[in-house]
Each structure stands twice: as structure tokens, then as C-alpha cells.
Amino acid sequence: MEELALESINLLTKSSLDTDGPKLGSLGAIFIMLKSALGAGLLLFPWAFEKAGGIQFAVTVELISLVFLTSGLVILGYSSSISGKSTYQAVVTYMCGPSLGKLCEICYVFNLFIISVAFLVIVADQLEKLCFSMYELITGLPESEMPYHCVIGTLAAAYLTVAITVKYHTRPVHEFNMSPLYSSGISSWASMFSVVPTICFGFQCHEACIAVYSSMKNRKLSHWVFISVVSMLICLIIYSLTGIYGYLTFGKNVAPDILMSYSGGDLTMIIARLLFGISIITIFPIIVLLGRSVIQDPLLKRRRRHTVVTESYECRTRVALTTAWVTVTLLTAVFVPDISKVISVVGGISAFFIFIFPGFCLIFAVQSETVSPTLRYLLITWGMITLFCGAYIFGQCTSIAVMQLLNEL
């Protein structure tokens, strides 16, 4: 997220003596990209590996997606250098026009809303397990006799990956997974394609990348390509290790939220759930702030055209929007059956930020830049491929997610 990226940039660069320009180094840029990408999506990768038909199919989709994910980051950095803008929406508006800029703002708000719901669903899952753990510890009774259920959750990505890997290699013999790990054959492309929403949600750091690029010392395109590739490769390693070992541990019995597959009394995973809770507490308010500001700013701007916007009016608007945002996300989270359904919707919306908007930006960019006819043709072709892939992913993921939600509500 742009606000998370900007906050991290300020923390990493505030001690610099030079305060007049961008001063973010390579390691800082990679760190912020990883911070933006590694998050709640990690919980779903073992389940996504199972849905894709096994490790081989899931990793194949990951590697293919990595080309588009990295390409999107490079295109956005290039577009930022042309436009001189430092936010995702501003770059899209400058490169593609006000209509696509408005569409970008709408997608941005909706994406933040669904992410808020996803966080609350994760909170519910993890606090429920923590309550089970505390109940068993205090009373000595099994969780089935617990009289009520409650809510918490999100994670420290590195800790969870290490914990899942270590738990796989140190588990007792009697806990070895006996369910088949591989499908006898992939039933359809739809099964293999089911991992894409999780990949889009997990690897998505594209909204933050423009803020990172704009704050870097070295903004050469070749250097930005290096930053993008390294960031995506590290994400690939972390997500793949989590997906592989989580899937190897539980096979076809893996839960959509990997932490829900482990027993409530597992100390290692209790720590992971606590880390998720801390992460949620720190990130959720920023998500609300971002969503509220995208809605509030146009409202205040429109009102200023006709009258003076007083401080009390702005305060009332802020409180009303915040209350509405939190209330609606809470109500939505209550009726969502599990986190996998939310991620399917988020993955579809993420296609706009990873594929569709970068594809448009590239197509418009090469129209105004001085390049050879052959290179222009190749870049436009790649932009069209990216655009069509994004449109397909959005349509497929969103339609399936909506139908599944309607069937289960």
C-alpha cells in the first residue's frame, strides 16, 4: 500500500542529512517492496497448492505469473518516470486519461474494502484458535466443550514460513500425512488456474511500487528492473516454501487458512497467531485511512466549489465515513464463510493493479516516447497481452467468487 510504503520510506530515510530529494537505497527499496507484498496471502498458499492439483502445477503457475508481476512493476516505474507522479492513481490518470483514473480510484477503494474484510475474517479465525488454546490450558478440557467462540490474527511472514518448514521436518512419524499429495491428473485448466487469485493477492505490491520508485536515489530503469526482480524472487521463495511444506504436511486436508490446520495447543503456532494479531492491529487502521481518504477527498473538493468547508464539517465527514467503513466491513466479514472466498474476490480486483492498468500505461507510454517502430510494436503487443490476461483473470476470478459466495450465504 502507498501509505505503508511512504511511512516506511520516511522511517528509513529520516536520518539522512539530505532532505531535498529522494534518498532511498537499494536495500531499503527491496525491504519496503517485501513489506508491502508479504502478508495475509501467505496463509492461503498451502490451500492454493492443493486446489491447483499439487506442487508441480502450482509452482508452474507461480513462475508464469512472476513474469507478469515483474513486468507490471517495471512498467509502473517507467510510467512514473515519464509522468513525474508519485502515486498509483496519479500515474494512471496522467498516462491514460481521467476516465481510467476514476476507474483506478474506484478499484482502489473496492480493493481496500475487500482487504479490510479479509483482515477481519483472519482475525476471527486466529482469535478463535487462541481462545481454544487458552481454554484448554486453563481448564484442561477439550475445545469441543468450550461454551463460546471469539476473534484475532495476521502474521510475521518469515516466522510463519520457518515455522511451517520446521514443523514438517520435526513432526512425529504417526503424524505423517497419509492422504494423496498429487492429483491423478489435473481435471481442468480451471483447477490449475485457481491458484492465480492467491498469487495476485500475495504478490501484490504494485500500488506501493510507485511511491518506492519516486523516493529512490537511483531511478535508472535498469536499476528498477533489478529491484523488481530481486523483490519478486524473494517473495517467490517465501511463498513457495510456505505453500510446499504446508501442503506436504496436510495434503488434501489443508485448511484455507493454514494456521487453522494446526492444533490449538501448538506453542509455535500460538506465537504465529499472536504475530498475526499485532500485524493486523498496525495495518488495519492504515487501510481504513486510505479507503476513507480516497472517498472523502473528492467529496470535500466538490463541496468547496459551492461553499466553505469548515473544520467541523470535515470532522463529521471523517467520522461518518470511518464508522460506515468499519461497520460495513464487520457485517460483511460476519457472513463470509472463510478467507478463501474473500481472497478470490481480492485476486480478481488485484488484476487491475497488476495487469490491466500497467498494460494501458505501457500502450499509452510508447505512443509518446521516441522508440523504433519494431520496439514500439513489441511493447504495444506486450501491453495488449498483459491487458487481456488481466481482463480474463478479473472476469474468471470475480465471477467464480461471486457465485460461490451467493451459493453459500
Side-chain angles (χ1 to χ4, degrees):
M1 298 303 175
E2 288 174 346
E3 190 71 21
L4 286 171
L6 289 171
E7 179 185 3
S8 300
I9 290 167
N10 290 333
L11 288 173
L12 286 174
T13 61
K14 66 180 180 180
S15 61
S16 173
L17 296 177
D18 177 19
T19 59
D20 295 327
K23 46 196 174 294
L24 189 64
S26 301
L27 287 178
I30 292 172
F31 170 78
I32 297 170
M33 294 286 283
L34 293 177
K35 180 181 178 181
S36 302
L38 295 173
L42 196 61
L43 294 172
L44 286 99
F45 265 72
W47 171 82
F49 272 47
E50 190 278 321
K51 288 297 179 183
I55 295 171
Q56 176 185 351
F57 299 112
V59 172
T60 299
V61 177
E62 269 192 302
L63 292 173
I64 294 172
S65 301
L66 201 66
V67 176
F68 291 95
L69 290 162
T70 307
S71 169
L73 293 174
V74 173
I75 292 170
L76 291 169
Y78 177 61
S79 300
S80 178
S81 68
I82 294 174
S83 64
K85 305 297 182 181
S86 58
T87 66
Y88 197 105
Q89 301 99 305
V91 167
V92 172
T93 301
Y94 181 92
M95 299 297 297
C96 309
S99 297
L100 283 175
K102 289 295 182 185
L103 177 61
C104 182
E105 291 181 357
I106 294 171
C107 292
Y108 196 81
V109 172
F110 189 71
N111 189 50
L112 291 173
F113 175 81
I114 299 298
I115 289 175
S116 298
V117 174
F119 280 179
L120 292 175
V121 173
I122 293 170
V123 162
D125 289 345
Q126 304 314 319
L127 188 54
E128 181 180 51
K129 275 289 186 180
L130 282 174
C131 288
F132 290 157
S133 302
M134 295 302 295
Y135 183 76
E136 290 178 4
L137 181 65
I138 294 171
T139 67
L141 298 175
E143 67 180 53
S144 59
E145 297 185 25
M146 184 175 178
Y148 58 89
H149 295 206
C150 299
V151 253
I152 204 181
T154 274
L155 90 156
Y159 177 87
L160 182 62
T161 300
V162 172
I164 288 174
T165 304
V166 171
K167 292 294 291 184
Y168 170 77
H169 286 290
T170 59
R171 70 200 191 286
V173 175
H174 68 274
E175 291 184 4
F176 271 60
N177 173 58
M178 301 304 294
S179 64
L181 288 177
Y182 298 94
S183 302
S184 56
I186 195 78
S187 58
S188 66
W189 277 101
S191 299
M192 191 171 176
F193 191 77
S194 64
V195 74
V196 173
T198 306
I199 292 174
C200 288
F201 177 68
F203 283 81
Q204 185 180 359
C205 55
H206 293 62
E207 300 104 310
C209 77
I210 292 177
V212 175
Y213 174 83
S214 301
S215 302
M216 289 175 59
K217 292 178 181 177
N218 183 356
R219 284 184 283 182
K220 291 182 179 178
L221 186 60
S222 58
H223 184 251
W224 177 243
V225 171
F226 169 78
I227 297 296
S228 301
V229 170
V230 171
S231 301
M232 290 295 98
L233 285 177
I234 295 174
C235 287
L236 176 68
I237 293 170
I238 292 175
Y239 279 121
S240 296
L241 286 174
T242 304
I244 290 170
Y245 284 105
Y247 175 59
L248 287 175
T249 301
F250 297 104
K252 291 186 174 297
N253 299 319
V254 67
D257 178 344
I258 183 62
L259 287 175
M260 300 301 289
S261 296
Y262 293 93
S263 67
D266 191 317
L267 179 60
T268 304
M269 294 306 166
I270 288 176
I271 296 173
R273 293 182 184 105
L274 287 172
L275 292 175
F276 264 92
I278 295 170
S279 179
I280 284 275
I281 290 170
T282 58
I283 293 176
F284 186 79
I286 297 176
I287 300 297
V288 176
L289 171 65
L290 284 170
R292 187 191 68 199
S293 63
V294 175
I295 299 173
Q296 183 182 14
D297 291 347
L299 292 176
L300 296 179
K301 186 177 180 180
R302 189 176 298 112
R303 184 176 175 86
R304 287 191 184 98
R305 295 174 184 171
H306 306 287
T307 184
V308 176
V309 176
T310 62
E311 184 176 343
S312 61
Y313 176 82
E314 186 175 356
C315 181
R316 289 196 304 272
T317 305
R318 185 167 61 249
V319 171
L321 288 174
T322 302
T323 303
W325 185 283
V326 173
T327 301
V328 175
T329 53
L330 278 171
L331 290 174
T332 305
V334 166
F335 294 101
V336 170
D338 63 66
I339 185 63
S340 64
K341 305 302 185 294
V342 183
I343 299 305
S344 297
V345 178
V346 177
I349 299 299
S350 297
F352 276 94
F353 300 102
I354 297 172
F355 296 89
I356 296 175
F357 291 131
F360 273 123
C361 286
L362 182 60
I363 293 171
F364 282 105
V366 297
Q367 303 298 327
S368 57
E369 292 296 293
T370 304
V371 295
S372 66
T374 303
L375 181 58
R376 177 177 286 109
Y377 174 77
L378 292 174
L379 291 175
I380 291 176
T381 301
W382 180 250
M384 294 296 292
I385 292 172
T386 302
L387 182 59
F388 287 137
C389 286
Y392 176 77
I393 291 171
F394 170 74
Q396 177 86 350
C397 295
T398 305
S399 59
I400 291 175
V402 170
M403 286 189 292
Q404 288 177 341
L405 283 173
L406 291 176
N407 289 335
E408 297 189 23
L409 290 179

